[in-house]
Amino acid sequence: MTENTAPNTAENQRTVDLSNDDQQDHRADCTTPAVKKLKLAYKQFASPSSSGGRPQGPFWPFFSKSAVKQNQHHYTAYCNACTLNGSRQKGTVTGKADSMRPHLASCDHVSAGVRNWAKNWTKDSLPYADSAAEDVDQAQSCSSQSGLNRYMSLKDTDLTEDQTTDLHMLLLKATISANLPFSWIDNPFVQAAFASLRPNANLPSRRQLAGPLLDKAVLDIDDKFKAAMSRALQGVSLSFDTWTDLSHNQLMALAAITSEMPRQIYTHKAIDVTSSAKTGDKTFEHLKEEIELLENEYKVPVIAVVSDSAGEAAKARRLLREWKPSLVTLPCFSHQFNLSVGDYLNKKKTDHRYVDTVGDAIDLITWWLRHSVPYGLLQDKHRTVHGKTSGLTLPVVTRWGSHYNAIKQLLQSQQVMNLLVLEKRGELLKSVGSKKPAKDKAEKMLDLACDSTFWSALKVVLDQLGPLLIAVRAMESEQTKLDQVLKILGFLYQHFNGVADAKVRQVMLEGLDTRFADYDQPVLLIAYLLNPLRRRDFLNPECRFATWRNAMVLVEVLYHRFFPDVKDGSAVVEQFLQYMNEEAPFDQATLKNVTKPGSPPERLWKLVKHEAPELSSLALRLMAISVNAAGCERIFSQMGLTHTKLRNRLGHAKTTHIAQLRQELHRNRQPRKRARAVTTASGSASCSAQAVSASASQDQLMDLDALLSASEFRSAVNEWLDDLDTEDRDAAIANLPAYRDSTAVVSAPLSSIFGSALPPLLDDDSLGCY
């Protein structure tokens, strides 16, 4: 690159000083083109980017920035001087001043002037620049060329040992991220492509990728796992599930979910249980061993265990609770809400008319998918009407939300099906053949496609299943907290209580009540009450289980359960009463500051941890608990993408390592923003002409606290406070020991807990996002 080349943009421009001039000398000669170029480069670095954000610091001209962030706040920084001299790994630091400045102060590849400037740098120091034009151009030739251009400019030079190590690790990550077989690197065309770019590059072999390189990556993941466990101040939740691969090996995955927000899921291990007895006792032994390992070796307490509702898993959770009463053992609530879809469709439990409607819809989808000519004509008609195709899918019972999505896709094809049947009915009938059963089936399906009653009933089914899908989606997030479970249960109960069909109403309410009876109800209730955004809003004041008196007893019971070494629980009860009565430190001014929309409930409890340490410890413990085993399901999905028919010789250990590395790469990847249009639940009309981002839609759907305005929240709380029996409350405060000695009500039917003031789960516009 010549000196007359225009300076690059802030993202590509980097400068390395290789001269021996000191800072004072170059300031005297401030008119050279090199100085002007460097000052312009620094100005570009120090000014905010076009997309907004804070200005870049004075050290960035000497570093290159990674494409993705190293952590939530900082990028990785590569010293340009070290890179130029073949020591990139040595010059890799975190992209913040506390890491970049010490490196420059001790770097042997920069000039003495840069080192002295870095050693003596303060916030009031001027930016460093150098008057040696030849050094500037040399630095620019290294830093301003990025990607393939920089690679090609050095194609005839040998890679250093550090560069070769970096290249091998990048190739491993690319292999795992793109889900390529390890043998791709031995392909002669791949090797020829790399040879044309860098003939002297030493590529790893298939065995190196699958062996020492993968092992090293797994060790790095284990180090990150240990660091994450050390940061989990409230402990971790442990989830487990089983999966059978294509070779009929059964694996049990164990995943740890951190407590600090935002939570992270780490798949710790996958145990081969093929030869083990599939009993609750054996599952309990595996879980006990894992819990002892986490607590003894990693020094992190396990506060909860979550799994699906299979027989051996349910028994293992019960045995865990008996072995360690402080553990909270929960079913996966995403799985629980998906079971309600099974209640809706189970002919053995109910005979409502919509069961047959869903059955007819599945028959119609199956008929189109199994006949290639009619399905091809349907796709052609979609292109003519909408300008694009629209597929049909069959629902799978074990896939969450698949019935809703299959019915929604079918409804989107209603208009096209009607037009196609009217225009080409004869051709459609002819395409199925001459046999009478096939023709009769085709006649039935084509008549069904034109039946307006069927389509109207199908829209009702979609409206009835929509809240269940939202509940499943809300519960499958690792960020969902325990207090949201009870609120969603209340929304679902009131939704189905308002369904017009008596049989649908009966089977759905009975299913919700039956499952709720098996939950750890005191944990759900107290977690709900300790969220300052909710407290007692929407709870039925006449339900003895949900009264503040009973809650006071449950608070002490749970406190002794979670912290058995504490003998006296009077402090936590007194603090709970202060919280419910809005007395200091829970006065209205404090609550107003922490109950703003979007504020996490932990904010209050961290704020008052010194004034109310016992109640804060209990609240933070409950809010740290995970409510699903979706992390295990996701790791199984990743393992299924790896262990295919073409790669069925992979052992379960290597398959697990590949899935763990892909999970780690996904964790560090920057999210991509996508826009999509919002349609109504029935798909019959658009409820918004404007596209919304997927992340914004997700926030709208999952932020259940935002469903209520601050005024509605205050109104509900004040109404409840006005209805309290003041005399009984004063008597209870004066006689705390009597309440502590009383028997707590530990369960109640779901129908008795919530009042009649709950709003709809979501409006039709929001529901349409799914």
Side-chain angles (χ1 to χ4, degrees):
M1 178 181 293
T2 64
E3 185 175 323
N4 295 327
T5 303
N8 291 331
T9 62
E11 185 170 347
N12 294 327
Q13 182 73 32
R14 303 290 187 270
T15 308
V16 177
D17 179 76
L18 302 175
S19 73
N20 294 320
D21 297 333
D22 59 23
Q23 188 173 359
Q24 186 175 0
D25 292 339
H26 82 76
R27 286 180 186 171
D29 183 13
C30 59
T31 60
T32 62
V35 172
K36 294 179 180 179
K37 187 183 297 184
L38 281 166
K39 286 187 175 181
L40 178 60
Y42 175 77
K43 183 178 180 181
Q44 291 172 330
F45 273 100
S47 61
S49 62
S50 58
S51 59
R54 60 185 179 185
Q56 300 226 36
F59 304 107
W60 274 109
F62 303 96
F63 291 85
S64 297
K65 185 168 65 174
S66 62
V68 297
K69 286 187 176 181
Q70 184 185 66
N71 52 46
Q72 187 177 1
H73 305 289
H74 300 98
Y75 289 89
T76 300
Y78 304 103
C79 176
N80 290 329
C82 291
T83 301
L84 185 64
N85 288 273
S87 303
R88 184 177 184 181
Q89 187 172 5
K90 181 181 177 181
T92 302
V93 297
T94 303
K96 58 182 180 178
D98 293 342
S99 300
M100 299 162 75
R101 179 194 170 196
H103 173 78
L104 284 179
S106 60
C107 182
D108 296 330
H109 302 301
V110 298
S111 69
V114 173
R115 287 197 296 271
N116 292 332
W117 172 76
K119 289 178 182 177
N120 301 320
W121 182 86
T122 64
K123 293 183 178 180
D124 298 328
S125 299
L126 294 174
Y128 186 85
D130 197 282
S131 60
E134 64 276 10
D135 288 344
V136 173
D137 290 335
Q138 186 180 11
Q140 287 181 336
S141 67
C142 168
S143 60
S144 63
Q145 300 181 57
S146 59
L148 186 60
N149 290 333
R150 184 190 301 178
Y151 194 79
M152 291 294 292
S153 67
L154 304 172
K155 64 178 296 184
D156 295 327
T157 61
D158 293 332
L159 293 177
T160 65
E161 184 178 350
D162 290 343
Q163 290 173 330
T164 301
T165 301
D166 291 344
L167 175 63
H168 288 186
M169 190 55 63
L170 284 173
L171 287 172
L172 172 67
K173 293 178 179 179
T175 302
I176 300 302
S177 179
N179 197 28
L180 297 173
F182 292 114
S183 59
W184 81 279
I185 200 67
D186 291 337
N187 186 290
F189 294 101
V190 172
Q191 293 182 343
F194 276 99
S196 67
L197 297 174
R198 197 69 175 264
N200 297 329
N202 180 21
L203 297 182
S205 66
R206 172 180 63 87
R207 296 187 182 278
Q208 285 177 299
L209 281 180
L213 288 173
L214 182 60
D215 293 340
K216 182 179 183 301
V218 171
L219 290 176
D220 292 341
I221 291 174
D222 191 54
D223 290 340
K224 292 181 179 179
F225 177 77
K226 292 179 180 178
M229 296 300 101
S230 66
R231 294 191 299 268
L233 302 180
Q234 299 298 328
V236 296
S237 300
L238 184 66
S239 64
F240 70 94
D241 203 354
T242 55
W243 174 71
T244 304
D245 63 17
L246 289 176
S247 300
H248 305 288
N249 297 315
Q250 193 165 32
L251 305 177
M252 174 189 288
L254 298 167
I257 303 98
T258 60
S259 56
E260 299 299 312
M261 302 297 288
R263 293 177 186 157
Q264 298 288 345
I265 298 177
Y266 292 88
T267 303
H268 188 210
K269 63 173 68 172
I271 306 171
D272 187 355
V273 294
T274 308
S275 59
S276 301
K278 309 303 183 290
T279 62
D281 296 290
K282 194 65 178 179
T283 304
F284 165 71
E285 292 178 10
H286 291 306
L287 294 172
K288 181 180 178 182
E289 180 181 351
E290 175 68 9
I291 292 173
E292 291 175 342
L293 175 66
L294 290 173
E295 294 185 342
N296 297 331
E297 181 175 336
Y298 293 92
K299 308 301 181 183
V300 57
V302 178
I303 59 176
V305 177
V306 190
S307 72
D308 63 12
S309 297
E312 63 272 16
K315 183 178 180 181
R317 293 201 311 268
R318 179 175 57 81
L319 293 175
L320 283 172
R321 176 72 180 276
E322 294 174 358
W323 168 61
K324 195 172 184 179
S326 62
L327 275 176
V328 175
T329 57
L330 299 170
C332 172
F333 286 103
S334 285
H335 184 258
Q336 290 288 295
F337 292 143
N338 194 59
L339 291 177
S340 294
V341 179
D343 295 338
Y344 185 87
L345 302 174
N346 193 340
K347 285 189 174 182
K348 296 180 180 179
K349 292 184 177 181
T350 182
D351 58 348
H352 61 78
R353 57 181 293 229
Y354 300 110
V355 174
D356 294 332
T357 301
V358 175
D360 291 340
I362 294 175
D363 289 342
L364 183 60
I365 296 171
T366 304
W367 185 85
W368 285 103
L369 293 177
R370 288 184 177 178
H371 294 83
S372 59
V373 173
Y375 191 64
L377 293 173
L378 181 65
Q379 296 303 310
D380 292 340
K381 195 65 177 177
H382 266 292
R383 292 189 190 95
T384 302
V385 176
H386 300 298
K388 61 180 181 179
T389 61
S390 179
L392 299 175
T393 58
L394 282 171
V396 181
V397 175
T398 57
R399 188 174 294 278
W400 300 341
S402 64
H403 281 86
Y404 181 92
N405 292 325
I407 294 172
K408 182 178 179 180
Q409 287 178 324
L410 181 60
L411 280 167
Q412 290 172 346
S413 299
Q414 176 187 358
Q415 178 187 7
V416 176
M417 280 188 188
N418 290 338
L419 291 174
L420 181 62
V421 173
L422 291 174
E423 294 175 2
K424 298 184 178 182
R425 186 183 183 95
E427 186 177 349
L428 292 171
L429 291 173
K430 184 178 179 181
S431 66
V432 301
S434 58
K435 294 183 178 180
K436 189 175 184 303
K439 282 189 170 294
D440 292 342
K441 182 71 172 180
E443 288 278 6
K444 180 181 178 181
M445 293 297 102
L446 296 181
D447 289 341
L448 184 63
C450 297
D451 187 354
S452 60
T453 304
F454 163 74
W455 293 107
S456 298
L458 206 57
K459 292 175 184 178
V460 174
V461 171
L462 204 68
D463 291 336
Q464 291 175 352
L465 292 182
L468 284 175
L469 177 68
I470 295 173
V472 170
R473 291 290 181 260
M475 287 294 105
E476 71 182 7
S477 169
E478 61 266 24
Q479 310 305 330
T480 304
K481 301 183 182 68
L482 196 61
D483 61 278
Q484 291 177 294
V485 175
L486 193 60
K487 186 169 186 178
I488 291 180
L489 280 168
F491 280 130
L492 290 178
Y493 196 93
Q494 292 213 355
H495 167 74
F496 288 108
N497 195 40
V499 171
D501 191 293
K503 293 182 177 179
V504 173
R505 183 168 61 251
Q506 179 182 359
V507 69
M508 298 307 293
L509 295 184
E510 287 178 355
L512 289 173
D513 257 332
T514 300
R515 293 189 182 90
F516 184 69
D518 294 332
Y519 299 159
D520 195 342
Q521 294 185 22
V523 169
L524 298 180
L525 175 67
I526 300 305
Y528 183 89
L529 292 177
L530 291 180
N531 185 335
L533 292 168
R534 300 199 179 104
R535 299 203 294 168
R536 277 293 308 266
D537 58 326
F538 303 139
L539 295 182
N540 182 7
E542 297 180 0
C543 175
R544 188 182 173 197
F545 172 68
T547 59
W548 66 271
R549 291 186 184 192
N550 191 64
M552 186 170 58
V553 181
L554 294 178
V555 162
E556 185 176 11
V557 170
L558 289 180
Y559 186 75
H560 283 298
R561 173 181 162 187
F562 295 155
F563 309 101
D565 295 335
V566 180
K567 303 303 180 183
D568 185 12
S570 59
V572 72
V573 175
E574 292 174 359
Q575 293 163 15
F576 180 71
L577 286 172
Q578 293 170 351
Y579 167 70
M580 297 305 293
N581 292 327
E582 296 187 357
E583 299 173 359
F586 307 101
D587 53 273
Q588 291 188 3
T590 302
L591 292 176
K592 184 178 181 180
N593 289 331
V594 299
T595 54
K596 297 177 181 178
S599 298
E602 297 94 333
R603 184 180 176 188
L604 169 67
W605 300 109
K606 292 179 180 179
L607 183 67
V608 300
K609 64 181 180 181
H610 297 297
E611 292 85 352
E614 290 80 9
L615 190 60
S616 295
S617 299
L618 177 62
L620 292 173
R621 177 75 168 262
L622 291 172
M623 292 173 187
I625 294 173
S626 179
V627 299
N628 62 66
C632 294
E633 300 289 349
R634 295 188 184 103
I635 202 69
F636 289 150
S637 297
Q638 295 295 333
M639 294 171 74
L641 293 174
T642 302
H643 195 274
T644 62
K645 292 180 179 179
L646 296 178
R647 306 178 69 186
N648 59 5
R649 290 192 301 168
L650 280 173
H652 79 274
K654 188 157 293 184
T655 303
T656 303
H657 291 162
I658 293 172
Q660 287 176 317
L661 181 54
R662 189 179 293 124
Q663 185 184 55
E664 185 64 27
L665 293 175
H666 178 77
R667 192 190 337 272
N668 296 328
R669 187 177 65 187
Q670 287 183 319
R672 293 178 296 176
K673 294 182 179 180
R674 298 178 180 177
R676 62 178 178 181
V678 179
T679 57
T680 58
S682 62
S684 60
S686 174
C687 69
S688 175
Q690 159 183 12
V692 295
S693 68
S695 60
S697 300
Q698 193 78 355
D699 291 341
Q700 181 186 21
L701 289 169
M702 302 313 171
D703 189 4
L704 298 179
D705 298 329
L707 296 177
L708 293 175
S709 66
S711 60
E712 290 174 320
F713 166 74
R714 288 294 175 190
S715 175
V717 173
N718 291 335
E719 183 179 353
W720 167 70
L721 288 174
D722 292 339
D723 293 338
L724 285 177
D725 188 340
T726 306
E727 183 177 346
D728 289 344
R729 181 178 58 189
D730 294 339
I733 296 174
N735 193 14
L736 288 176
Y739 278 101
R740 290 201 297 273
D741 296 337
S742 64
T743 303
V745 180
V746 296
S747 64
L750 190 61
S751 56
S752 67
I753 293 179
F754 287 91
S756 58
L758 274 169
L761 179 56
L762 285 176
D763 56 27
D764 291 339
D765 291 351
S766 300
L767 181 61
C769 294
Y770 283 105

